[in-house]
Amino acid sequence: MSQNVVLLSAGLDSSVNFLEALQDGGVRLAITFDYGQRAALREIQKAKHLCQRHQVAHQVVELPFFKLFTQSSLVNHTQSVPQGSDVDIASHSTSLKTAEKVWVPNRNGIFLNVAAGFAEGLGVPFVIPGFNAEEASTFPDNSPAFQKALDGSFSFSTQNQVTVKCYTLHKQKAEILRRGLEIGLEIQDIWPCYFGEEKWCGQCESCLRFENARREVKV
């Protein structure tokens, strides 16, 4: 029986973790969260397509209450998402400032706790997020320390002691993309953009990090 529950936003990191998990114990369930983010529809569409292709059960979990406590530009449309010249992924200080604009309070904490509940209910030992080393310096909820803290928490809050597993935890975006292409990632099947338009904006931090990785890998 499949051993993993995957958090699948259909971005680069979560999609590669999904593909890795398919080869490492299988995927019992993939969860996509709709917390009112701008890209929700696109993320759900891409995640659903990926799950259908690999015959994996897909669950959309709606979290409408996020709008009650966050001013993040990803959710609050009165706030502007940093784009273009406002973003400099080579500058740590600038990235800290842009991270503040898109930070959603306790997002990964809530996501992983919900996923752990599904995992315990299904009798599955592992939950798999899309953490990465590149963004961990500005988003601490991508870090090894956060993963370790979650494991400690789940040892108390789940009877089967659900564990967090992430294949990209120590990888940069280019490394993740390269690995993804090795195991069957189709670039047109992912959604790396903060927005939910017909095409990726190409100007938000998430798009720019992906494009930088694509240049490094020469795709």
Side-chain angles (χ1 to χ4, degrees):
M1 183 174 291
S2 298
Q3 298 292 298
N4 303 298
V5 168
V6 177
L7 287 72
L8 183 62
S9 70
L12 173 64
D13 311 315
S14 70
S15 297
V16 172
N17 274 277
F18 174 83
L19 294 173
E20 292 277 22
L22 285 173
Q23 300 181 5
D24 183 22
V27 178
R28 181 73 175 277
L29 178 69
I31 301 173
T32 304
F33 292 99
D34 178 356
Y35 56 98
Q37 73 273 33
R38 295 171 187 260
L41 180 60
R42 296 298 179 196
E43 291 177 6
I44 292 168
Q45 288 175 338
K46 294 292 187 179
K48 181 179 180 180
H49 176 73
L50 188 59
C51 288
Q52 287 177 337
R53 174 182 293 180
H54 294 281
Q55 298 181 310
V56 170
H58 180 232
Q59 178 70 54
V60 176
V61 175
E62 296 182 355
L63 303 172
F65 59 84
F66 269 62
K67 65 184 178 183
L68 300 177
F69 60 72
T70 181
Q71 293 299 309
S72 170
S73 61
L74 297 188
V75 178
N76 188 333
H77 289 218
T78 67
Q79 305 293 322
S80 60
V81 177
Q83 290 180 279
S85 60
D86 292 331
V87 179
D88 183 0
I89 61 175
S91 168
H92 181 67
S93 59
T94 300
S95 295
L96 284 173
K97 293 176 182 178
T98 54
E100 290 180 4
K101 299 288 187 180
V102 298
W103 177 265
V104 180
N106 199 28
R107 178 179 60 180
N108 281 353
I110 294 171
F111 287 2
L112 267 296
N113 273 278
V114 171
F118 273 94
E120 180 179 358
L122 293 168
V124 172
F126 299 110
V127 291
I128 302 180
F131 298 161
N132 69 88
E134 183 168 322
E135 292 173 306
S137 63
T138 49
F139 295 95
D141 59 352
N142 271 249
S143 67
F146 181 61
Q147 178 170 319
K148 183 178 179 180
L150 285 170
D151 287 342
S153 174
F154 295 157
S155 72
F156 292 98
S157 65
T158 58
Q159 288 185 330
N160 64 334
Q161 298 191 324
V162 170
T163 300
V164 182
K165 180 168 57 175
C166 181
Y167 303 95
T168 59
L169 182 65
H170 300 289
K171 288 183 168 61
Q172 302 293 313
K173 291 282 187 177
E175 295 176 278
I176 296 169
L177 177 56
R178 187 177 292 109
R179 175 57 180 165
L181 294 171
E182 291 173 354
I183 58 176
L185 178 72
E186 300 284 348
I187 290 179
Q188 67 268 22
D189 288 342
I190 68 173
W191 191 262
C193 186
Y194 283 151
F195 294 90
E197 306 302 327
E198 289 296 320
K199 298 180 180 179
W200 311 340
C201 75
Q203 294 296 310
C204 68
E205 182 171 337
S206 186
C207 277
L208 290 172
R209 288 189 183 279
F210 179 76
E211 291 300 334
N212 185 61
R214 188 149 68 170
R215 283 194 297 271
E216 282 193 45
V217 178
K218 296 181 173 61
V219 176

mmCIF file of all heavy atoms in Angstrom, residues 46-72:
data_model
loop_
_atom_site.group_PDB
_atom_site.id
_atom_site.type_symbol
_atom_site.label_atom_id
_atom_site.label_comp_id
_atom_site.label_asym_id
_atom_site.label_seq_id
_atom_site.Cartn_x
_atom_site.Cartn_y
_atom_site.Cartn_z
ATOM 1 N N LYS A 46 -3.662 22.104 -12.535
ATOM 2 C CA LYS A 46 -2.416 21.410 -12.847
ATOM 3 C C LYS A 46 -2.206 20.198 -11.943
ATOM 4 O O LYS A 46 -1.771 19.137 -12.402
ATOM 5 C CB LYS A 46 -1.232 22.376 -12.710
ATOM 6 C CG LYS A 46 -1.221 23.510 -13.720
ATOM 7 C CD LYS A 46 -0.972 23.025 -15.127
ATOM 8 C CE LYS A 46 -0.805 24.185 -16.087
ATOM 9 N NZ LYS A 46 -0.529 23.729 -17.479
ATOM 10 N N ALA A 47 -2.523 20.355 -10.656
ATOM 11 C CA ALA A 47 -2.364 19.238 -9.725
ATOM 12 C C ALA A 47 -3.301 18.097 -10.089
ATOM 13 O O ALA A 47 -2.916 16.918 -10.065
ATOM 14 C CB ALA A 47 -2.620 19.710 -8.301
ATOM 15 N N LYS A 48 -4.530 18.435 -10.430
ATOM 16 C CA LYS A 48 -5.507 17.411 -10.812
ATOM 17 C C LYS A 48 -5.036 16.652 -12.045
ATOM 18 O O LYS A 48 -5.124 15.420 -12.112
ATOM 19 C CB LYS A 48 -6.862 18.066 -11.077
ATOM 20 C CG LYS A 48 -7.957 17.090 -11.454
ATOM 21 C CD LYS A 48 -9.273 17.821 -11.683
ATOM 22 C CE LYS A 48 -10.374 16.843 -12.073
ATOM 23 N NZ LYS A 48 -11.682 17.542 -12.301
ATOM 24 N N HIS A 49 -4.520 17.390 -13.015
ATOM 25 C CA HIS A 49 -4.023 16.764 -14.241
ATOM 26 C C HIS A 49 -2.876 15.801 -13.946
ATOM 27 O O HIS A 49 -2.830 14.683 -14.462
ATOM 28 C CB HIS A 49 -3.565 17.843 -15.219
ATOM 29 C CG HIS A 49 -2.956 17.313 -16.476
ATOM 30 N ND1 HIS A 49 -3.692 16.724 -17.479
ATOM 31 C CD2 HIS A 49 -1.657 17.264 -16.892
ATOM 32 C CE1 HIS A 49 -2.886 16.331 -18.457
ATOM 33 N NE2 HIS A 49 -1.654 16.646 -18.121
ATOM 34 N N LEU A 50 -1.939 16.245 -13.085
ATOM 35 C CA LEU A 50 -0.795 15.403 -12.738
ATOM 36 C C LEU A 50 -1.255 14.133 -12.030
ATOM 37 O O LEU A 50 -0.750 13.030 -12.304
ATOM 38 C CB LEU A 50 0.177 16.188 -11.857
ATOM 39 C CG LEU A 50 1.530 15.547 -11.551
ATOM 40 C CD1 LEU A 50 2.300 15.260 -12.839
ATOM 41 C CD2 LEU A 50 2.352 16.448 -10.650
ATOM 42 N N CYS A 51 -2.215 14.267 -11.145
ATOM 43 C CA CYS A 51 -2.721 13.095 -10.415
ATOM 44 C C CYS A 51 -3.464 12.137 -11.336
ATOM 45 O O CYS A 51 -3.338 10.915 -11.208
ATOM 46 C CB CYS A 51 -3.626 13.550 -9.276
ATOM 47 S SG CYS A 51 -2.742 14.325 -7.906
ATOM 48 N N GLN A 52 -4.239 12.683 -12.266
ATOM 49 C CA GLN A 52 -4.951 11.826 -13.212
ATOM 50 C C GLN A 52 -3.980 11.046 -14.083
ATOM 51 O O GLN A 52 -4.190 9.864 -14.355
ATOM 52 C CB GLN A 52 -5.881 12.677 -14.082
ATOM 53 C CG GLN A 52 -7.109 13.198 -13.347
ATOM 54 C CD GLN A 52 -7.972 14.095 -14.208
ATOM 55 O OE1 GLN A 52 -7.509 14.692 -15.183
ATOM 56 N NE2 GLN A 52 -9.237 14.219 -13.850
ATOM 57 N N ARG A 53 -2.913 11.705 -14.507
ATOM 58 C CA ARG A 53 -1.918 11.050 -15.351
ATOM 59 C C ARG A 53 -1.298 9.845 -14.638
ATOM 60 O O ARG A 53 -1.031 8.818 -15.259
ATOM 61 C CB ARG A 53 -0.812 12.038 -15.748
ATOM 62 C CG ARG A 53 0.333 11.384 -16.498
ATOM 63 C CD ARG A 53 1.427 12.361 -16.834
ATOM 64 N NE ARG A 53 0.977 13.344 -17.796
ATOM 65 C CZ ARG A 53 1.752 14.335 -18.265
ATOM 66 N NH1 ARG A 53 2.987 14.462 -17.813
ATOM 67 N NH2 ARG A 53 1.298 15.177 -19.155
ATOM 68 N N HIS A 54 -1.094 9.987 -13.322
ATOM 69 C CA HIS A 54 -0.432 8.914 -12.570
ATOM 70 C C HIS A 54 -1.412 8.095 -11.726
ATOM 71 O O HIS A 54 -0.983 7.296 -10.894
ATOM 72 C CB HIS A 54 0.657 9.518 -11.682
ATOM 73 C CG HIS A 54 1.784 10.121 -12.458
ATOM 74 N ND1 HIS A 54 2.789 9.368 -13.021
ATOM 75 C CD2 HIS A 54 2.050 11.424 -12.791
ATOM 76 C CE1 HIS A 54 3.639 10.169 -13.653
ATOM 77 N NE2 HIS A 54 3.216 11.412 -13.521
ATOM 78 N N GLN A 55 -2.702 8.316 -11.953
ATOM 79 C CA GLN A 55 -3.761 7.549 -11.287
ATOM 80 C C GLN A 55 -3.630 7.591 -9.759
ATOM 81 O O GLN A 55 -3.648 6.563 -9.088
ATOM 82 C CB GLN A 55 -3.765 6.103 -11.800
ATOM 83 C CG GLN A 55 -4.055 6.001 -13.294
ATOM 84 C CD GLN A 55 -4.089 4.567 -13.789
ATOM 85 O OE1 GLN A 55 -3.181 3.787 -13.528
ATOM 86 N NE2 GLN A 55 -5.145 4.208 -14.500
ATOM 87 N N VAL A 56 -3.501 8.817 -9.254
ATOM 88 C CA VAL A 56 -3.397 9.059 -7.817
ATOM 89 C C VAL A 56 -4.619 9.838 -7.350
ATOM 90 O O VAL A 56 -5.055 10.780 -8.020
ATOM 91 C CB VAL A 56 -2.110 9.853 -7.491
ATOM 92 C CG1 VAL A 56 -2.106 10.332 -6.049
ATOM 93 C CG2 VAL A 56 -0.878 8.993 -7.764
ATOM 94 N N ALA A 57 -5.161 9.476 -6.212
ATOM 95 C CA ALA A 57 -6.297 10.198 -5.644
ATOM 96 C C ALA A 57 -5.898 11.632 -5.316
ATOM 97 O O ALA A 57 -4.814 11.883 -4.776
ATOM 98 C CB ALA A 57 -6.794 9.490 -4.384
ATOM 99 N N HIS A 58 -6.784 12.579 -5.633
ATOM 100 C CA HIS A 58 -6.488 14.005 -5.437
ATOM 101 C C HIS A 58 -7.603 14.634 -4.614
ATOM 102 O O HIS A 58 -8.784 14.455 -4.900
ATOM 103 C CB HIS A 58 -6.375 14.705 -6.793
ATOM 104 C CG HIS A 58 -6.082 16.160 -6.702
ATOM 105 N ND1 HIS A 58 -6.831 17.125 -7.347
ATOM 106 C CD2 HIS A 58 -5.099 16.828 -6.031
ATOM 107 C CE1 HIS A 58 -6.328 18.319 -7.081
ATOM 108 N NE2 HIS A 58 -5.282 18.161 -6.288
ATOM 109 N N GLN A 59 -7.204 15.365 -3.574
ATOM 110 C CA GLN A 59 -8.165 16.021 -2.692
ATOM 111 C C GLN A 59 -7.879 17.521 -2.632
ATOM 112 O O GLN A 59 -6.761 17.930 -2.317
ATOM 113 C CB GLN A 59 -8.086 15.441 -1.277
ATOM 114 C CG GLN A 59 -9.010 16.097 -0.270
ATOM 115 C CD GLN A 59 -10.457 15.778 -0.536
ATOM 116 O OE1 GLN A 59 -10.838 14.608 -0.643
ATOM 117 N NE2 GLN A 59 -11.275 16.808 -0.670
ATOM 118 N N VAL A 60 -8.884 18.332 -2.955
ATOM 119 C CA VAL A 60 -8.770 19.778 -2.768
ATOM 120 C C VAL A 60 -9.336 20.113 -1.392
ATOM 121 O O VAL A 60 -10.475 19.754 -1.074
ATOM 122 C CB VAL A 60 -9.534 20.553 -3.852
ATOM 123 C CG1 VAL A 60 -9.470 22.060 -3.575
ATOM 124 C CG2 VAL A 60 -8.972 20.238 -5.237
ATOM 125 N N VAL A 61 -8.537 20.774 -0.563
ATOM 126 C CA VAL A 61 -8.970 21.175 0.768
ATOM 127 C C VAL A 61 -9.109 22.693 0.791
ATOM 128 O O VAL A 61 -8.138 23.421 0.549
ATOM 129 C CB VAL A 61 -7.966 20.719 1.849
ATOM 130 C CG1 VAL A 61 -8.384 21.249 3.226
ATOM 131 C CG2 VAL A 61 -7.876 19.193 1.875
ATOM 132 N N GLU A 62 -10.302 23.168 1.043
ATOM 133 C CA GLU A 62 -10.554 24.607 1.068
ATOM 134 C C GLU A 62 -10.362 25.153 2.478
ATOM 135 O O GLU A 62 -10.864 24.585 3.453
ATOM 136 C CB GLU A 62 -11.971 24.897 0.577
ATOM 137 C CG GLU A 62 -12.195 24.496 -0.875
ATOM 138 C CD GLU A 62 -13.587 24.837 -1.369
ATOM 139 O OE1 GLU A 62 -14.416 25.299 -0.552
ATOM 140 O OE2 GLU A 62 -13.847 24.638 -2.567
ATOM 141 N N LEU A 63 -9.626 26.240 2.561
ATOM 142 C CA LEU A 63 -9.334 26.892 3.835
ATOM 143 C C LEU A 63 -9.714 28.377 3.724
ATOM 144 O O LEU A 63 -8.848 29.259 3.729
ATOM 145 C CB LEU A 63 -7.854 26.744 4.189
ATOM 146 C CG LEU A 63 -7.311 25.310 4.278
ATOM 147 C CD1 LEU A 63 -5.801 25.321 4.448
ATOM 148 C CD2 LEU A 63 -7.962 24.555 5.432
ATOM 149 N N PRO A 64 -11.002 28.665 3.647
ATOM 150 C CA PRO A 64 -11.442 30.042 3.407
ATOM 151 C C PRO A 64 -11.141 31.005 4.548
ATOM 152 O O PRO A 64 -11.124 32.213 4.343
ATOM 153 C CB PRO A 64 -12.953 29.890 3.202
ATOM 154 C CG PRO A 64 -13.314 28.634 3.940
ATOM 155 C CD PRO A 64 -12.144 27.729 3.752
ATOM 156 N N PHE A 65 -10.857 30.454 5.727
ATOM 157 C CA PHE A 65 -10.624 31.313 6.888
ATOM 158 C C PHE A 65 -9.287 32.041 6.835
ATOM 159 O O PHE A 65 -9.036 32.954 7.635
ATOM 160 C CB PHE A 65 -10.716 30.499 8.180
ATOM 161 C CG PHE A 65 -9.752 29.350 8.273
ATOM 162 C CD1 PHE A 65 -8.447 29.540 8.700
ATOM 163 C CD2 PHE A 65 -10.156 28.073 7.914
ATOM 164 C CE1 PHE A 65 -7.555 28.478 8.783
ATOM 165 C CE2 PHE A 65 -9.271 27.002 7.996
ATOM 166 C CZ PHE A 65 -7.964 27.209 8.432
ATOM 167 N N PHE A 66 -8.411 31.676 5.899
ATOM 168 C CA PHE A 66 -7.132 32.376 5.801
ATOM 169 C C PHE A 66 -7.333 33.879 5.600
ATOM 170 O O PHE A 66 -6.559 34.691 6.095
ATOM 171 C CB PHE A 66 -6.296 31.808 4.650
ATOM 172 C CG PHE A 66 -5.376 30.687 5.044
ATOM 173 C CD1 PHE A 66 -5.879 29.500 5.557
ATOM 174 C CD2 PHE A 66 -4.005 30.814 4.904
ATOM 175 C CE1 PHE A 66 -5.029 28.460 5.914
ATOM 176 C CE2 PHE A 66 -3.147 29.786 5.255
ATOM 177 C CZ PHE A 66 -3.665 28.607 5.769
ATOM 178 N N LYS A 67 -8.356 34.247 4.858
ATOM 179 C CA LYS A 67 -8.577 35.667 4.565
ATOM 180 C C LYS A 67 -8.921 36.471 5.817
ATOM 181 O O LYS A 67 -8.838 37.702 5.812
ATOM 182 C CB LYS A 67 -9.717 35.816 3.552
ATOM 183 C CG LYS A 67 -11.072 35.352 4.055
ATOM 184 C CD LYS A 67 -12.123 35.442 2.970
ATOM 185 C CE LYS A 67 -13.483 34.936 3.467
ATOM 186 N NZ LYS A 67 -14.505 34.963 2.397
ATOM 187 N N LEU A 68 -9.252 35.772 6.904
ATOM 188 C CA LEU A 68 -9.604 36.456 8.141
ATOM 189 C C LEU A 68 -8.382 36.968 8.893
ATOM 190 O O LEU A 68 -8.490 37.868 9.724
ATOM 191 C CB LEU A 68 -10.405 35.526 9.058
ATOM 192 C CG LEU A 68 -11.726 34.990 8.516
ATOM 193 C CD1 LEU A 68 -12.355 34.020 9.508
ATOM 194 C CD2 LEU A 68 -12.687 36.138 8.215
ATOM 195 N N PHE A 69 -7.195 36.392 8.616
ATOM 196 C CA PHE A 69 -6.035 36.773 9.413
ATOM 197 C C PHE A 69 -4.800 37.161 8.605
ATOM 198 O O PHE A 69 -3.751 37.421 9.194
ATOM 199 C CB PHE A 69 -5.664 35.674 10.421
ATOM 200 C CG PHE A 69 -5.307 34.337 9.812
ATOM 201 C CD1 PHE A 69 -4.114 34.142 9.141
ATOM 202 C CD2 PHE A 69 -6.177 33.260 9.943
ATOM 203 C CE1 PHE A 69 -3.780 32.911 8.601
ATOM 204 C CE2 PHE A 69 -5.849 32.017 9.419
ATOM 205 C CZ PHE A 69 -4.648 31.846 8.751
ATOM 206 N N THR A 70 -4.879 37.197 7.296
ATOM 207 C CA THR A 70 -3.679 37.540 6.537
ATOM 208 C C THR A 70 -3.885 38.762 5.656
ATOM 209 O O THR A 70 -4.963 38.941 5.079
ATOM 210 C CB THR A 70 -3.206 36.370 5.661
ATOM 211 O OG1 THR A 70 -2.024 36.760 4.957
ATOM 212 C CG2 THR A 70 -4.259 35.966 4.639
ATOM 213 N N GLN A 71 -2.856 39.583 5.590
ATOM 214 C CA GLN A 71 -2.821 40.700 4.654
ATOM 215 C C GLN A 71 -1.881 40.389 3.481
ATOM 216 O O GLN A 71 -1.540 41.275 2.707
ATOM 217 C CB GLN A 71 -2.356 41.964 5.369
ATOM 218 C CG GLN A 71 -3.330 42.484 6.409
ATOM 219 C CD GLN A 71 -4.665 42.860 5.792
ATOM 220 O OE1 GLN A 71 -4.729 43.590 4.811
ATOM 221 N NE2 GLN A 71 -5.745 42.353 6.374
ATOM 222 N N SER A 72 -1.485 39.135 3.364
ATOM 223 C CA SER A 72 -0.565 38.739 2.304
ATOM 224 C C SER A 72 -1.109 39.134 0.931
ATOM 225 O O SER A 72 -2.296 38.978 0.642
ATOM 226 C CB SER A 72 -0.351 37.223 2.348
ATOM 227 O OG SER A 72 0.350 36.789 1.190
#
